[in-house]
Structures are given as structure tokens and as C-alpha cells.
């Protein structure tokens, strides 16, 4: 069974490390929540209204996570309009009759964007949602301007977590058993959860919304899915963010993504799998700077040359030789 391990964002924990205090990042923008039907599927949608003029950011959340759990990051944004929705079977979105694939969620996301009246967007995905974000960028290259991938991997071809960590993520028990969550949080999330035990209690209290069958559908959606064959073809400028102490998605997966996507850069964050929650301001600053940088240009190249670079990246990544992206990371420090 494949599962890009989850990012389970916390609900309204503005007291977490680096959480934005009032006035720190400007006035908090309104977050509007409503239900919208796309292709016959009712979706619980939240929109964080920003003051900027750039494209909105469509965010794909982690496994089992309802939209409210993304509030720390959403509130840390300064000017970006952000859109997020509960995937079917999670939070406020009813479960569909049948399981779905990443392409289905990408289609729902594109339909939602069209319904809201946008012709161009930026896309971000976290952990499990990072796979959906990759699929969206591949499926709708003209709609997706830039891509942000956080704590994620290229599907079942990822370098996996340890069997012990994967076993603890196989069921949604941590959602329903708070004591169990407190016992395993440091092991599966790493980073700040190792250093500050109080975060575990607040995290456990905030977790809700996962349903057994909805969770299973999310696991099934990614079974057998990989982006590896077509990463070379992604035209978007891409930012890859990874936590240095991430037990769920080892950072090498970020190097693989950034090494194989033609116009990608890699940034390491000194935290664990949940850095977008424990360091929402730092993460928001990096992402908004990337999205707003007008000097970035997609390097023109032919499909043949991009595929050749992809092959070289594969050889470099899996052949044990230092890859180009690792050198980029050193220059970005």
C-alpha cells in the first residue's frame, strides 16, 4: 500500500512556534467558508482573501486534514489569496460513492478554480497533497503558473520512511485516540515535536474530521501513482520545501523532485514534517517571495533536452553521485 505520508495541519494554533501574532504580518485577512458543487460533488471550500494582485494559491492539504487545520499558514500569508477545499470524504465534503484517483481531484480543483472565475493560479501541495499538486500541474499546465511542493515525494517511487513510521500512519487511529497521538507524534512528525512536548497535546486536541472510509479512499488514490515518468515535462517554476528532520518523508525525496523538475529550486527548513504549522510565518515568507518574484523565468527548452536532463538527474540521484540540486541548496544557504 502506498501513501505519501500526511501533513495534518493544526486548527488555529497561533501560539505555535513562529505563529503570527496580531500585527506581525499585517492585518489578518478574512477567510470565507462555503460549499460549492463541482461535477456533482459537494465540496467544503475556504478562501483566504488577500490584498495582492497576483494569482491565487490553490492549496492541496494532507491526508485526513480538513481545511480549518490550515489556518495557521493561511493567516501567516500577507497578500496572497488562498483557496483550499476538503477532499471528498474528509471534513465538510461528503464521501463519494466510489474511490477516486489523483486526476479526479485535479479535475475538481480545476473546476473549482473556473467556478471562482480565475484563469490562472499558483498551486501548492503538502505531503499527500503534494502528489495531487504535481498531478494538477501536469494535467493543467496552462492553468498552473507556479508550483510549491512541501514535505512531499514523487509517489510510490519515493524513498520511504522506516517501516515503524509507516505502520503508525496506516490507519487514522491518531485522529480518534488522543493518547495514541501523544505517544507517536514525535516519532512520526519529528522536528519541533521532539523538542516541545506541549505541541503534542495541542495537536492532539485540534485533530478531527478524518473518517475511516474517507481516509482509505485517500490511501487508495495514491496506490500505484507516481510522477517520476513525467516530472521532466513540468514547465512551471517550482519551489521544493523539505524539513531536515522529517521521519515521514525523508528529505532525499525533495532532492529527487527538485533534481528532476526542470525549473525547480530546493530549500531545507530546520524542522520536521509539520514545518508549515510549527513555522507558518517562515514558510509563508518563503512561498510568497517565490510567488511574487517577477525576475523568475521559465528556461526555454525542447522536450528532448528536458528529457535528457531528467535522465541525467535520475542517474545522479539514484547513482550515488552528488546531484546538481544539492549544489543549488548549498548556494541558497
Amino acid at each position: 500500500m502506498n501513501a505519501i505520508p500526511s501533513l495534518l495541519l493544526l486548527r488555529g494554533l497561533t501560539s505555535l512556534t513562529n505563529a503570527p501574532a496580531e500585527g506581525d504580518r499585517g492585518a489578518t485577512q478574512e477567510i470565507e467558508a462555503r460549499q460549492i458543487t463541482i461535477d456533482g460533488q459537494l465540496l467544503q471550500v475556504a478562501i483566504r482573501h488577500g490584498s495582492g494582485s497576483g494569482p491565487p494559491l490553490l492549496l492541496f492539504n494532507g491526508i485526513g486534514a480538513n481545511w480549518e487545520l490550515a489556518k495557521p499558514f493561511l493567516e501567516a500569508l500577507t497578500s496572497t489569496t488562498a483557496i483550499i477545499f476538503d477532499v471528498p470524504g474528509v471534513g465538510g465534503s461528503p464521501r463519494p460513492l466510489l474511490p477516486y484517483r489523483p486526476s479526479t481531484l485535479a479535475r475538481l480543483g480545476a473546476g473549482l478554480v473556473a467556478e471562482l472565475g480565475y484563469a490562472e493560479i499558483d498551486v501548492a501541495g503538502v505531503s499527500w497533497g503534494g502528489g495531487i499538486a504535481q498531478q494538477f500541474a501536469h494535467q493543467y499546465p496552462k492553468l498552473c503558473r507556479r508550483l510549491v511542493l512541501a514535505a512531499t515525494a514523487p509517489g510510490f517511487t519515493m524513498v520511504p520512511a522506516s517501516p515503524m513510521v509507516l505502520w503508525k500512519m496506516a490507519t487514522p487511529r491518531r485522529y480518534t485516540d488522543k493518547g495514541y497521538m501523544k505517544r507517536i507524534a514525535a516519532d512520526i512528525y519529528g522536528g519541533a515535536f521532539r523538542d516541545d512536548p506541549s505541541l503534542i497535546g495541542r495537536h492532539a486536541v485540534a485533530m478531527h474530521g478524518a473518517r475511516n472510509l474517507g481516509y482509505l479512499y485517500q490511501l487508495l488514490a495514491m496506490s500505484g501513482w507516481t510522477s517520476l515518468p513525467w516530472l521532466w515535462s513540468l514547465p512551471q517554476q517550482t519551489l521544493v520545501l523539505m524539513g531536515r528532520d522529517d521521519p515521514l518523508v525523508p528529505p532525499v525525496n525533495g532532492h529527487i523532485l527538485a533534481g528532476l523538475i526542470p525549473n525547480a529550486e530546493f530549500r531545507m527548513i530546520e524542522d520536521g514534517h509539520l514545518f508549515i504549522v510549527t513555522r507558518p510565518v517562515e514558510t509563508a515568507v518563503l512561498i510568497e517571495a517565490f510567488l511574487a518574484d517577477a525576475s523568475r523565468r521559465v528556461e526555454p527548452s525542447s522536450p528532448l533536452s528536458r528529457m535528457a536532463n531528467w535522465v541525467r538527474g535520475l542517474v545522479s540521484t539514484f547513482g550515488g553521485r552528488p546531484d546538481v540540486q544539492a549544489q543549488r541548496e548549498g548556494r541558497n544557504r
Side-chain angles (χ1 to χ4, degrees):
M1 178 182 295
N2 168 65
I4 295 181
S6 65
L7 174 66
L8 304 169
L9 299 178
L10 310 183
R11 183 180 183 179
L13 300 182
T14 53
S15 59
L16 285 176
T17 305
N18 280 356
E22 185 176 353
D24 287 352
R25 294 274 287 163
T28 300
Q29 301 294 321
E30 174 190 1
I31 297 179
E32 172 195 3
R34 57 191 171 108
Q35 292 188 319
I36 300 176
T37 299
I38 304 296
D39 291 344
Q41 171 68 52
L42 186 66
L43 299 176
Q44 182 69 28
V45 180
I47 305 172
R48 185 270 187 190
H49 297 282
S51 58
S53 59
L57 178 67
L58 177 63
L59 175 63
F60 289 100
N61 214 342
I63 192 168
N66 51 301
W67 80 262
E68 294 96 336
L69 307 182
K71 286 180 71 175
F73 171 72
L74 297 177
E75 292 174 347
L77 296 169
T78 57
S79 60
T80 304
T81 291
I83 305 164
I84 186 171
F85 66 92
D86 294 344
V87 301
V90 174
S93 296
R95 175 174 51 84
L97 293 177
L98 299 172
Y100 50 80
R101 298 297 292 167
S103 58
T104 306
L105 296 183
R107 188 179 70 249
L108 287 175
L112 175 60
V113 168
E115 179 70 19
L116 296 174
Y118 295 107
E120 183 181 57
I121 58 168
D122 296 321
V123 175
V126 185
S127 193
W128 181 92
I132 310 303
Q134 292 170 63
Q135 179 68 40
F136 189 102
H138 174 61
Q139 199 165 322
Y140 300 102
K142 294 182 179 179
L143 180 59
C144 177
R145 184 189 68 128
R146 291 185 181 178
L147 180 63
V148 179
L149 303 174
T152 193
F156 83 93
T157 49
M158 70 181 290
V159 177
S162 72
M164 179 188 71
V165 170
L166 291 177
W167 178 253
K168 292 174 180 177
M169 294 296 296
T171 75
R173 179 183 172 188
R174 61 196 179 281
Y175 286 98
T176 57
D177 185 341
K178 305 305 181 185
Y180 179 71
M181 178 65 222
K182 292 177 182 178
R183 293 196 299 273
I184 69 169
D187 293 334
I188 64 175
Y189 297 137
F193 282 83
R194 300 190 196 277
D195 303 325
D196 186 355
S198 69
L199 295 180
I200 300 174
R202 282 177 279 172
H203 183 79
V205 169
M207 293 173 68
H208 67 92
R211 308 169 195 165
N212 287 335
L213 193 52
Y215 192 89
L216 176 61
Y217 277 8
Q218 286 189 282
L219 291 177
L220 291 175
M222 303 307 296
S223 297
W225 178 91
T226 178
S227 59
L228 215 58
W230 43 259
L231 285 175
W232 66 271
S233 69
L234 292 181
Q236 296 87 0
Q237 287 280 351
T238 302
L239 175 64
V240 179
L241 300 173
M242 300 297 290
R244 190 177 298 278
D245 178 24
D246 187 343
L248 284 176
V249 185
V252 65
N253 290 287
H255 285 290
I256 293 171
L257 290 171
L260 299 181
I261 297 173
N263 296 283
E265 69 170 286
F266 181 96
R267 291 294 183 96
M268 190 79 79
I269 294 180
E270 299 297 329
D271 208 327
H273 190 65
L274 293 180
F275 61 80
I276 199 171
V277 172
T278 54
R279 296 176 180 264
V281 170
E282 178 182 341
T283 306
V285 167
L286 284 172
I287 290 176
E288 289 199 291
F290 167 74
L291 297 179
D293 188 352
S295 67
R296 295 179 180 274
R297 295 288 185 272
V298 173
E299 298 177 4
S301 59
S302 68
L304 182 61
S305 65
R306 288 159 69 185
M307 181 172 283
N309 288 335
W310 175 81
V311 171
R312 284 195 291 269
L314 278 179
V315 172
S316 178
T317 298
F318 295 105
R321 297 197 295 268
D323 64 3
V324 173
Q325 196 55 41
Q327 299 172 16
R328 290 183 193 167
E329 178 196 351
R331 289 199 297 269
N332 287 336
R333 289 179 180 172

